[in-house]
Amino acid sequence: MKFDSEFVCILSGTIRSEFANFGSERETHEFGEHLLYINAAVSTRILKRIENEVDEASALVDDDTTDENETRHQSHYSSNESDDGGEVVEGEFSPSGVTIEQDHSVTRNRNNRIREEIELISSRLRNENVKERTLRLVRGASLGAYGDEQDPIMYLR
C-alpha cells in the first residue's frame, strides 16, 4: 500500500486473498478501483489549519496597534452618548456581540478558506496520481469542514 504524502488516503496497492478451502483460488483487489481508504478526519485537519492561521495572525498583532484601536473605539463612543449617559449603538447585533454583517463576513471568509484548503488537497493528490474514485471520496469527506455538528463520515454516503 502506498499512502499520499500527508496520509489522507491510500494512492495505490493490492490485496491478494487466497482461500485454502477452495484450492488455489485467489482474489486480487486494487486500492482506488475495488478498495478505497481515506482518513475521514480530513475535515478536522482542514479546520485545524485554518485555526492555526488565525492564531498566527492574532499573535502578530502588535500591542501598539491594539492600544490605537481601543483609543479610536473609545473616542467614537464618547461622541455618541445618549442623554442618560449610556452609549448609543446603531446596527443589529448577533449573540456574539458583533454586527450581523460582520458575522456573515466571518462565515464567508471561513467558507472561502475551507474551499481553498479542499482545492489545495485535491491538487496535491492529483499531483501524487490519486485515483478519481478516491479523490471524490476525499472531497466528500472534506465537506464535513463546513458543518459544525455533523459527523464528517455522513458526507460519504
Side-chain angles (χ1 to χ4, degrees), residues 5-110:
S5 60
E6 293 185 15
F7 299 99
V8 170
C9 65
I10 293 178
L11 297 172
S12 62
T14 303
I15 302 287
R16 290 184 185 85
S17 303
E18 292 186 25
F19 301 101
N21 296 342
F22 301 105
S24 61
E25 187 176 335
R26 289 183 173 178
E27 285 185 7
T28 302
H29 301 283
E30 299 286 326
F31 277 96
E33 298 297 325
H34 311 106
L35 304 170
L36 299 171
Y37 169 83
I38 66 153
N39 184 338
V42 66
S43 62
T44 304
R45 181 181 296 196
I46 290 169
L47 293 174
K48 283 186 181 183
R49 281 185 183 169
I50 293 169
E51 281 178 27
N52 288 342
E53 288 174 3
V54 170
D55 290 346
E56 288 172 10
S58 296
L60 295 175
V61 173
D62 187 66
D63 283 337
D64 292 338
T65 306
T66 304
D67 291 341
E68 184 179 314
N69 287 339
E70 284 178 16
T71 303
R72 274 193 218 142
H73 181 74
Q74 288 169 351
S75 66
H76 169 75
Y77 283 119
S78 64
S79 63
N80 290 322
E81 291 182 3
S82 67
D83 293 337
D84 62 357
E87 294 177 358
V88 175
V89 181
E90 296 179 14
E92 190 176 345
F93 284 81
S94 72
S96 64
V98 297
T99 65
I100 298 296
E101 288 103 20
Q102 289 171 325
D103 222 11
H104 289 306
S105 176
V106 168
T107 301
R108 234 184 345 268
N109 290 340
R110 178 181 175 272

Side-chain angles (χ1 to χ4, degrees), residues 100-154:
I100 298 296
E101 288 103 20
Q102 289 171 325
D103 222 11
H104 289 306
S105 176
V106 168
T107 301
R108 234 184 345 268
N109 290 340
R110 178 181 175 272
N111 288 345
N112 287 339
R113 281 297 300 126
I114 290 170
R115 192 173 309 111
E116 288 171 7
E117 282 297 322
I118 292 171
E119 290 308 315
L120 286 171
I121 291 169
S122 298
S123 177
R124 181 183 56 75
L125 290 173
R126 282 187 189 102
N127 289 336
E128 295 182 29
N129 298 315
V130 70
K131 303 276 199 270
E132 193 58 36
R133 282 185 68 201
T134 303
L135 181 60
R136 282 195 309 266
L137 194 61
V138 168
R139 289 179 66 88
S142 298
L143 295 177
Y146 288 109
D148 291 327
E149 296 180 20
Q150 286 187 314
D151 185 345
I153 204 73
M154 297 306 293

